[in-house]
């Protein structure tokens, strides 16, 4: 762990904060990659964690790539293009893989601009809520590159093919309300209310039996590309385990308990 990503826990809810506000929280450089991957691994290994909130320090969620670092590397990448492949596979591409391996639900609390890889980072999360000040852009084409962090896989699954193409081909900026309209986020709130809204949503997840929540996320993840018959078999196997757990027994007893008369 390092100070590029802050890790705070409260009652089974972990808050991860990108902590490079002076650079608007880019995620392309080594310290942030290492910090995020380590934090997500720590969450996955901790059975007490029920939900995660990801946000950014300062006024931005994430500016995506560090453009000054990109400019400084231009000559080296021109001389040695294969170094760029290693830069991505050993760097930023580890982030979506770490999210993909995580069974705990993650809420992106988008507090400000989420640009380029910042939009893609929000898409790596399972749920997204935005402050009114949030902005989104799949803006790689604006600087003559492509989404190298999995955005071309993530974005169409969230907003649909046509809207993803529009965003990726134009690089246009979406307001928070436009992001809500296309399903990129599920809720927009005033900025001062963002973290409270994220914690309330996390709390609604955290009250449910944690093993069932993790297993449900695994099934939803597999359902993106599995055939129905395959997913049904996976569901039957997961259900066979779920029916044996203490949390199922306790939740069933609670659901069947007589309710007090009003």
């Amino acid at each position: 762990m390092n100070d590029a990503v802050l890790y705070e826990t409260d009652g089974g809810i972990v808050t991860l904060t990108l902590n490079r506000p002076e650079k608007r929280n880019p995620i392309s450089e080594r310290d942030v990659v290492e910090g995020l991957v380590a934090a997500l691994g720590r969450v996955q290994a901790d059975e007490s964690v029920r939900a995660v909130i990801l946000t950014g320090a300062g006024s931005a969620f994430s500016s995506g790539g560090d453009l000054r670092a990109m400019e400084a590397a231009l000559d080296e990448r021109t001389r040695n293009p294969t170094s760029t492949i290693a830069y991505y596979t050993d760097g930023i591409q580890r982030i979506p893989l770490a999210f993909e391996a995580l069974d705990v639900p993650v809420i992106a609390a988008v507090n400000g601009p989420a640009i380029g890889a910042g939009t893609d980072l929000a898409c790596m999360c399972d749920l997204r809520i935005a402050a009114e000040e949030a902005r989104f852009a799949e803006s790689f084409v604006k600087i003559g590159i492509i989404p190298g962090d999995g955005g071309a896989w993530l974005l169409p699954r969230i907003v649909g093919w046509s809207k993803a193409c529009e965003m990726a081909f134009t690089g246009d900026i979406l307001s928070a309300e436009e992001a809500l309209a296309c399903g990129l986020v599920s809720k927009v709130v005033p900025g001062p209310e963002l973290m409270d809204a994220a914690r309330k949503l996390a709390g609604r997840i955290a009250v449910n039996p944690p093993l069932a929540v993790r297993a449900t996320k695994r099934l939803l993840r597999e359902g993106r590309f599995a055939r129905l018959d395959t997913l049904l078999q996976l569901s039957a196997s997961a259900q066979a385990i779920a029916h044996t757990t203490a949390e199922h027994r306790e939740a069933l007893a609670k659901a069947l308990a007589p309710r007090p008369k009003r």
Side-chain angles (χ1 to χ4, degrees), residues 121-135:
L121 178 65
C123 290
M124 295 174 204
C125 301
D126 304 301
L127 305 94
R128 287 158 295 282
I129 61 176
E132 292 171 344
E133 300 83 1
R135 298 290 182 268

Side-chain angles (χ1 to χ4, degrees), residues 1-2 5-7 14-18 27 32-47 49 51-55 92-107 121 124-126 214 217:
M1 300 293 292
N2 58 51
V5 180
L6 304 181
Y7 189 110
V14 167
T15 300
L16 302 179
T17 305
L18 302 176
I27 61 168
V32 182
V33 172
E34 296 293 348
L36 266 175
V37 170
L40 295 173
R42 178 178 170 183
V43 167
Q44 180 68 5
D46 187 347
E47 293 183 357
V49 179
V52 176
I53 299 168
L54 175 66
T55 194
I92 197 172
Q93 290 183 354
R94 294 168 56 204
I95 298 174
L97 294 175
F99 273 96
E100 187 73 4
L102 184 63
D103 294 331
V104 180
V106 184
I107 301 162
L121 178 65
M124 295 174 204
C125 301
D126 304 301
R214 290 190 180 211
K217 178 173 173 177

Side-chain angles (χ1 to χ4, degrees), residues 95-167:
I95 298 174
L97 294 175
F99 273 96
E100 187 73 4
L102 184 63
D103 294 331
V104 180
V106 184
I107 301 162
V110 184
N111 54 300
I115 304 301
T119 285
D120 294 343
L121 178 65
C123 290
M124 295 174 204
C125 301
D126 304 301
L127 305 94
R128 287 158 295 282
I129 61 176
E132 292 171 344
E133 300 83 1
R135 298 290 182 268
F136 300 84
E138 190 75 353
S139 54
F140 300 92
V141 293
K142 292 293 190 184
I143 55 170
I145 61 173
I146 55 91
D149 59 349
W153 191 91
L154 294 158
L155 194 61
R157 286 169 166 77
I158 295 170
V159 301
W161 176 258
S162 179
K163 189 63 178 181
C165 288
E166 178 185 338
M167 291 176 65

Side-chain angles (χ1 to χ4, degrees), residues 18 20-21 23-25 55-63 109-114:
L18 302 176
R20 289 291 181 262
K23 294 185 176 181
R24 299 173 68 78
N25 303 319
T55 194
S59 61
F61 178 73
S62 174
S63 61
V110 184
N111 54 300

Side-chain angles (χ1 to χ4, degrees), residues 75-262:
D75 290 342
E76 172 59 26
R77 290 180 178 173
T78 300
R79 286 192 301 268
N80 184 14
T82 58
S83 69
T84 301
I85 297 174
Y87 173 81
Y88 277 85
T89 57
D90 297 339
I92 197 172
Q93 290 183 354
R94 294 168 56 204
I95 298 174
L97 294 175
F99 273 96
E100 187 73 4
L102 184 63
D103 294 331
V104 180
V106 184
I107 301 162
V110 184
N111 54 300
I115 304 301
T119 285
D120 294 343
L121 178 65
C123 290
M124 295 174 204
C125 301
D126 304 301
L127 305 94
R128 287 158 295 282
I129 61 176
E132 292 171 344
E133 300 83 1
R135 298 290 182 268
F136 300 84
E138 190 75 353
S139 54
F140 300 92
V141 293
K142 292 293 190 184
I143 55 170
I145 61 173
I146 55 91
D149 59 349
W153 191 91
L154 294 158
L155 194 61
R157 286 169 166 77
I158 295 170
V159 301
W161 176 258
S162 179
K163 189 63 178 181
C165 288
E166 178 185 338
M167 291 176 65
F169 297 162
T170 67
D172 289 349
I173 294 174
L174 271 63
S175 68
E177 290 297 334
E178 289 170 323
L180 179 64
C182 71
L184 182 55
V185 303
S186 57
K187 189 174 186 179
V188 175
V189 299
E193 299 176 15
L194 177 66
M195 293 308 295
D196 282 345
R199 291 186 191 101
K200 286 178 182 177
L201 179 55
R204 287 162 50 203
I205 296 168
V207 296
N208 293 315
L211 296 178
V213 172
R214 290 190 180 211
T216 298
K217 178 173 173 177
R218 285 195 294 270
L219 287 171
L220 287 169
R221 187 170 57 214
E222 291 301 318
R224 291 176 301 191
F225 30 72
R227 294 188 339 181
L228 176 60
D229 58 347
T230 301
L231 189 70
L232 288 172
Q233 187 59 52
L234 290 171
S235 301
S237 299
Q239 196 74 297
I241 296 170
H243 276 281
T244 70
T245 62
E247 67 179 34
H248 166 61
R249 187 180 297 271
E250 292 166 5
L252 192 59
K254 183 177 179 181
L256 293 173
R259 300 187 181 215
K261 295 181 179 179
R262 295 184 179 180

